[in-house]
Amino acid sequence: NAGVTQTPKFQVLKTGQSMTLQCAQDMNHEYMSWYRQDPGMGLRLIHYSVGAGITDQGEVPNGYNVSRSTTEDFPLRLLSAAPSQTSVYFCASSYSGAGVPGANVLTFGAGSRLTVL
Amino acid sequence: QKEVEQDPGPLSVPEGAIVSLNCTYSNSAFQYFMWYRQYSRKGPELLMYTYSSGNKEDGRFTAQVDKSSKYISLFIRDSQPSDSATYLCAASNAGNNRKLIWGLGTSLAVNP
């Protein structure tokens, strides 16, 4: 049971380049999400998904795309990287049952550190 | 004003000290309160989870929620150098309990 696996761990991009951050979980969690963490800003939700085929925007979605074709995978795409997207990105998941106590306990991946030059 | 406020510190204590970490919140609809611990260059991990008011104890850790004053606390007894990390508080309401509102985190250093 690997939990939440993120790849790559580190990435350097040039402005304008695109890339995909990968996230996979093996816990059969229906809910998956992407956060970015910046000094002084804390954790901010980018996008989330409540199940395969369903995605929605968080508080800072601009410049990012997501899709959820399977329960296990939730990739985050940077369409045209900008220096403002330099950050640490975390994927997190939780089990189904919105409204059920414990459904909001998130399991986080180890993070992907992205630098955009 | 952020919905969940947390002093970022840093906080530095000697080994064995009792540590008190605190958050305040503004939304009276919050029912779920969590503390996550984040080691340097790692993802956050759940430390304590409470529903509504009251105390919850797990080993050296005690989480306390006072809904009348909208105050969330985490106490660490007999602190150890391995407790050095950033502690994040989070809250959510019952209607959309997967929408977590996060504090900024408090950096704690426990010195041997």
Side-chain angles (χ1 to χ4, degrees):
Chain A
N1 191 335
V4 178
T5 303
Q6 289 183 236
T7 56
K9 286 185 167 46
F10 303 94
Q11 184 72 50
V12 178
L13 288 178
K14 293 181 180 177
T15 297
Q17 287 185 317
S18 62
M19 77 156 299
T20 299
L21 299 178
Q22 301 290 346
C23 175
Q25 53 90 10
D26 61 359
M27 298 171 286
N28 202 30
H29 283 174
E30 286 198 357
Y31 179 85
M32 295 186 74
S33 56
W34 277 102
Y35 285 89
R36 59 179 291 176
Q37 187 175 40
D38 303 287
M41 303 294 289
L43 284 166
R44 292 182 291 170
L45 183 64
I46 305 171
H47 285 286
Y48 66 96
S49 168
V50 298
I54 306 168
T55 63
D56 208 344
Q57 296 181 351
E59 60 181 299
V60 288
N62 292 341
Y64 307 95
N65 267 0
V66 291
S67 60
R68 185 94 178 271
S69 56
T70 67
T71 299
E72 294 78 20
D73 300 296
F74 191 44
L76 178 73
R77 297 181 187 84
L78 281 70
L79 308 173
S80 177
S84 61
Q85 294 178 304
T86 294
S87 187
V88 181
Y89 291 85
F90 289 101
C91 180
S93 69
S94 69
Y95 68 83
S96 62
V100 174
N104 51 3
V105 174
L106 291 172
T107 300
F108 282 83
S112 297
R113 289 182 171 271
L114 176 66
T115 301
V116 182
L117 302 175
Chain B
Q1 181 190 6
K2 286 177 66 70
E3 285 190 277
V4 175
E5 298 275 5
Q6 183 175 12
D7 186 339
L11 187 61
S12 181
V13 301
E15 183 175 352
I18 296 174
V19 177
S20 173
L21 302 168
N22 307 294
C23 291
T24 58
Y25 65 93
S26 56
N27 188 341
S28 57
F30 287 156
Q31 294 278 6
Y32 300 97
F33 304 93
M34 286 143 276
W35 286 95
Y36 282 78
R37 178 175 61 194
Q38 185 176 20
Y39 290 116
S40 180
R41 296 184 176 267
K42 300 288 186 184
E45 57 178 350
L46 182 72
L47 188 61
M48 299 290 283
Y49 178 98
T50 55
Y51 172 69
S52 195
S53 276
N55 292 1
K56 184 172 184 178
E57 189 173 319
D58 184 0
R60 297 183 295 109
F61 299 90
T62 299
Q64 192 173 75
V65 176
D66 182 345
K67 295 194 77 180
S68 62
S69 60
K70 297 189 179 68
Y71 207 77
I72 316 163
S73 300
L74 178 71
F75 299 98
I76 307 175
R77 291 184 299 281
D78 186 26
S79 56
Q80 302 295 309
S82 58
D83 295 328
S84 298
T86 296
Y87 291 79
L88 301 151
C89 62
S92 68
N93 61 37
N96 185 5
N97 66 340
R98 289 191 290 200
K99 182 182 178 184
L100 298 184
I101 308 301
W102 295 87
L104 293 182
T106 300
S107 175
L108 170 68
V110 181
N111 305 304

